[in-house]
Amino acid sequence: MSSSTLQAKSATQMIQPKSTAWPIEKIIIGTVLITSLIFFVLFLIAPLSAILSQLFVNNTLSEHSGISALFEYLKSPSILRSLWNSIWVSIVVTIIVIPLAFTFAYALTRSCLRFKGIYRSIALLPLLAPSLLSAISIIYWFGNQGAAKGFWNALGFDSIYGAPGIILAEIFAIFPHVLMILVTALTLADQRLYEAADTLGTSKFRKFITITLPSVKYGLVSAGMVSFTLVITDFGIPKIVGGNFDVLATDLFRMIIGQQNFQQGAAVALLLLIPALLTFTVEHHVRKKQISTLSARSVRFSPKKNMKFDLAMNAYVIVISCLMLAMLLMAVYASFVSFWPYNLKLSLLNYESALFGSGLGKTLLNSLTLALGTTIIGTALVFLNGYMLEKTKGFSKIKLAIRLMATLPVAIPGLVLGLGYIFFFNSPSNPFNFLYHSMLILILCTVVHFYTTSHMTMTSTLKSIDWEFEAVSQSLKVPFYKTMWRVTLPISLPTLLDISRYFFINAMTTISAVIFLYSPETELAAVAILNLDDAGDVGGATAMAVMITGVSLVVISIYYFIELWIKRSTHRWANH
């Protein structure tokens, strides 16, 4: 064997870490992985299994049980009507929001607009507010006492309540989610393809059809699936502006809270789970087929100035941005109005009513507690799991089980997950029954609900970090946890910051996953919006929604400065 071959073999062994580790390290790795597996079994698999088991519980309200009960409920005209309403509303919203968001994303990525960052920030503002905010704003604009009710009637609509209101509110709430996906898809473009097309004299329309659309088709499908899933599983907007228009999410809430019919609630939960699982399967299949659109030789796309096109795109983004601001600013304005629409004097009456008059001041503190707890526990869990899966050897079967369960929560509607927690943790025979109605169970449920996106982000970052760090550490007999703390963690800080921000904002604004789990002591601000609206205090509900949005904006600002500090202190090498 030649010396060059020996050197190559030695280099390969250096890069690939040995499968053997110090006994104490294997014990630590195994303990962390088994603990993670138990966590997912207890807080994901067991609650979902509890929903299925409810179908087989004898119910005094029905003579059927098991699968026969599911099919019996499916024959009910009211459930079939709610199912159809949920499906067609989700399809209509998706059909409308995809072209709107695509055009906005196209303007941000393929034109020479000024102030692109400002326009994008405005378009993403709904992410910082509960989805209920758009529903409340629409009532102030087009409701029975709305500022623009005449305009809404002129369009041919009798009332904002029902399907039209749900569709309009969902468009505003879903728009930023779809926009982020499409901006990413349109950013990944190869300049060389467009230059070749220009050389051949290809028209702009033909370039759009033959180059642009094929390159973003998977992004379009993914955006469509996300839009459909978010709408069909949303609970807040139909609850506020749905009126007598029933959808599966509101039916599920009514059966559990109003009728205490848990068996039928379990059947509806399974119905709600089916479309979400189908869209997740389609999106996962599409993602596997997607190939890289950029290679090492690709040239990043740089738009050329075109006055007519740029003016048209500028006009479009201004219109959309104004509509977004109109929704947010109407809520802000209405929250200061003394008594809409009879006394338009600005005051703090609604804030006083929400915080002190209704005794709901603690709900904002509860939401902050939930957000902080979710951020700390969720971020730590995501990092530890990601590191164990991507940077350690052995325990392949346990790792496979964790990978599968880590990708499942994205397909589980929040209402379904929360219902599963009721059935599982509320059982007196469950040794974990003490968690029920506690703040901890709200935190753990929220962590599981938003886990998948964070997990995928973390594992993608860890995969991009060279294995050589671990190989060198092993050769120097350095424990893996020291390498994780001193090397991997600092490199991963920007990603961890994004993950913690994602957990915090979603925990502040979530409602579907926690609507069944709170107690009077752990009531959240987002839930208080619903309760205030049900009590007829729309002004107080608006004030609470605005306060949640304000807190989110402050936190985002803090994250921005932390991110600047991290970039300067830990990534100075990037500037050399």
Side-chain angles (χ1 to χ4, degrees):
M1 185 178 293
S2 65
S3 60
S4 60
T5 304
L6 289 173
Q7 291 175 355
K9 183 176 180 181
S10 177
T12 303
Q13 291 174 347
M14 281 290 295
I15 294 175
Q16 294 294 334
K18 298 177 182 178
S19 59
T20 59
W22 292 80
I24 186 64
E25 291 190 20
K26 275 201 172 285
I27 292 173
I28 295 174
I29 293 170
T31 301
V32 173
L33 288 172
I34 292 174
T35 302
S36 176
L37 184 66
I38 293 173
F39 172 82
F40 281 114
V41 170
L42 280 178
F43 296 100
L44 178 62
I45 304 302
L48 295 179
S49 301
I51 293 177
L52 185 62
S53 67
Q54 279 294 315
L55 292 176
F56 298 89
V57 174
N58 291 328
N59 188 353
T60 57
L61 300 178
S62 173
E63 59 183 9
H64 301 276
S65 63
I67 301 300
S68 62
L70 177 61
F71 285 106
E72 183 66 23
Y73 293 139
L74 282 175
K75 296 178 183 178
S76 169
S78 60
I79 289 184
L80 288 177
R81 183 173 60 253
S82 297
L83 176 61
W84 169 241
N85 288 344
S86 298
I87 292 174
W88 80 258
V89 164
S90 301
I91 292 174
V92 169
V93 171
T94 301
I95 291 174
I96 295 174
V97 80
I98 292 295
L100 291 175
F102 180 84
T103 307
F104 200 100
Y106 197 83
L108 293 178
T109 57
R110 301 302 173 89
S111 70
C112 296
L113 289 178
R114 298 179 64 187
F115 313 116
K116 289 182 179 180
I118 296 176
Y119 290 134
R120 182 174 180 176
S121 298
I122 292 174
L124 297 180
L125 279 176
L127 293 176
L128 305 180
S131 61
L132 305 171
L133 185 69
S134 62
I136 293 173
S137 294
I138 282 176
I139 292 176
Y140 279 116
W141 276 113
F142 309 114
N144 295 332
Q145 302 291 338
K149 180 186 177 183
F151 173 76
W152 187 250
N153 295 146
L155 294 177
F157 298 103
D158 295 329
S159 172
I160 192 64
Y161 296 98
I166 294 175
I167 292 172
L168 186 58
E170 292 287 4
I171 288 172
F172 281 94
I174 302 302
F175 184 88
H177 297 273
V178 175
L179 178 65
M180 288 190 298
I181 297 173
L182 295 179
V183 165
T184 302
L186 285 166
T187 301
L188 302 176
D190 191 346
Q191 178 78 33
R192 298 174 303 166
L193 298 176
Y194 293 89
E195 291 176 350
D198 290 336
T199 303
L200 296 173
T202 307
S203 66
K204 293 179 181 179
F205 179 75
R206 186 168 177 81
K207 283 190 293 185
F208 179 80
I209 296 297
T210 59
I211 301 176
T212 303
L213 282 183
S215 67
V216 300
K217 61 182 179 182
Y218 295 115
L220 287 169
V221 173
S222 179
M225 295 298 101
V226 168
S227 172
F228 183 89
T229 303
L230 290 175
V231 177
I232 201 170
T233 58
D234 185 41
F235 162 74
I237 289 176
K239 183 71 169 60
I240 296 291
V241 296
N244 295 324
F245 187 84
D246 293 328
V247 294
L248 285 179
T250 53
D251 274 0
L252 177 58
F253 179 79
R254 183 169 56 251
M255 289 171 187
I256 298 300
I257 301 299
Q259 302 175 5
Q260 299 286 304
N261 190 340
F262 297 117
Q263 188 179 65
Q264 190 168 358
V268 175
L270 291 177
L271 285 179
L272 198 60
L273 188 61
I274 291 172
L277 286 174
L278 286 176
T279 53
F280 169 75
T281 303
V282 171
E283 185 186 4
H284 181 70
H285 180 69
V286 167
R287 195 185 306 119
K288 287 175 62 178
K289 282 192 170 186
Q290 186 174 6
I291 59 175
S292 177
T293 56
L294 293 179
S295 65
R297 297 180 180 180
S298 297
V299 178
R300 187 178 181 87
F301 182 83
S302 179
K304 298 178 182 179
K305 287 188 176 181
N306 183 322
M307 184 174 293
K308 290 183 179 180
F309 176 73
D310 291 344
L311 286 175
M313 291 293 98
N314 192 53
Y316 178 79
V317 296
I318 288 176
V319 170
I320 297 297
S321 298
C322 288
L323 290 175
M324 288 291 178
L325 288 174
M327 298 299 294
L328 177 63
L329 294 179
M330 171 55 85
V332 174
Y333 169 70
S335 69
F336 289 101
V337 170
S338 297
F339 186 54
W340 183 281
Y342 305 105
N343 183 4
L344 300 180
K345 181 181 178 181
L346 300 183
S347 68
L348 296 176
L349 288 176
N350 291 322
Y351 290 90
E352 293 174 359
S353 172
L355 294 176
F356 308 110
S358 302
L360 297 176
K362 64 179 180 181
T363 62
L364 200 58
L365 293 177
N366 287 340
S367 289
L368 284 170
T369 303
L370 171 66
L372 288 172
T374 301
T375 300
I376 295 170
I377 295 176
T379 305
L381 185 64
V382 165
F383 178 73
L384 281 176
N385 278 343
Y387 188 89
M388 294 300 161
L389 293 177
E390 302 298 333
K391 296 297 182 181
T392 62
K393 293 291 184 179
F395 304 98
S396 56
K397 291 183 179 180
I398 296 179
K399 287 182 178 180
L400 177 61
I402 293 175
R403 289 182 193 275
L404 291 174
M405 287 187 283
T407 58
L408 185 59
V410 73
I412 309 299
L415 281 174
V416 176
L417 186 64
L419 183 62
Y421 274 55
I422 289 181
F423 294 151
F424 181 67
F425 289 102
N426 196 32
S427 173
S429 60
N430 189 334
F432 296 96
N433 175 262
F434 67 93
L435 290 173
Y436 192 65
H437 275 170
S438 68
M439 179 58 70
L440 182 57
I441 198 172
L442 293 175
I443 291 173
L444 295 175
C445 180
T446 307
V447 168
V448 172
H449 184 42
F450 297 108
Y451 186 86
T452 301
T453 300
S454 301
H455 174 80
M456 294 173 67
T457 303
M458 190 73 253
T459 54
S460 297
T461 297
L462 291 172
K463 285 177 182 178
S464 67
I465 300 176
D466 201 327
W467 263 107
E468 193 171 352
F469 290 112
E470 280 71 26
V472 171
S473 297
Q474 285 192 6
S475 66
L476 296 175
K477 307 300 184 184
V478 177
F480 80 92
Y481 48 84
K482 289 188 177 180
T483 305
M484 179 183 71
W485 180 258
R486 296 175 180 176
V487 179
T488 310
L489 182 60
I491 294 176
S492 305
L493 274 181
T495 300
L496 287 172
L497 195 66
D498 289 338
I499 289 172
S500 64
R501 176 169 48 202
Y502 173 81
F503 272 125
F504 189 96
I505 297 302
N506 280 286
M508 279 296 299
T509 59
T510 189
I511 183 170
S512 59
V514 297
I515 190 65
F516 296 134
L517 301 177
Y518 74 93
S519 67
E521 291 74 26
T522 59
E523 185 179 358
L524 304 172
V527 176
I529 297 173
L530 277 180
N531 294 335
L532 286 168
D533 182 75
D534 285 343
D537 189 1
V538 181
T542 308
M544 188 66 74
V546 171
M547 283 189 284
I548 293 175
T549 307
V551 170
S552 300
L553 281 171
V554 171
V555 170
I556 287 294
S557 301
I558 294 173
Y559 268 103
Y560 174 76
F561 289 108
I562 294 175
E563 191 173 8
L564 288 179
W565 177 78
I566 288 177
K567 285 182 178 179
R568 291 174 181 173
S569 59
T570 63
H571 289 272
R572 291 173 182 170
W573 54 268
N575 299 322
H576 295 285

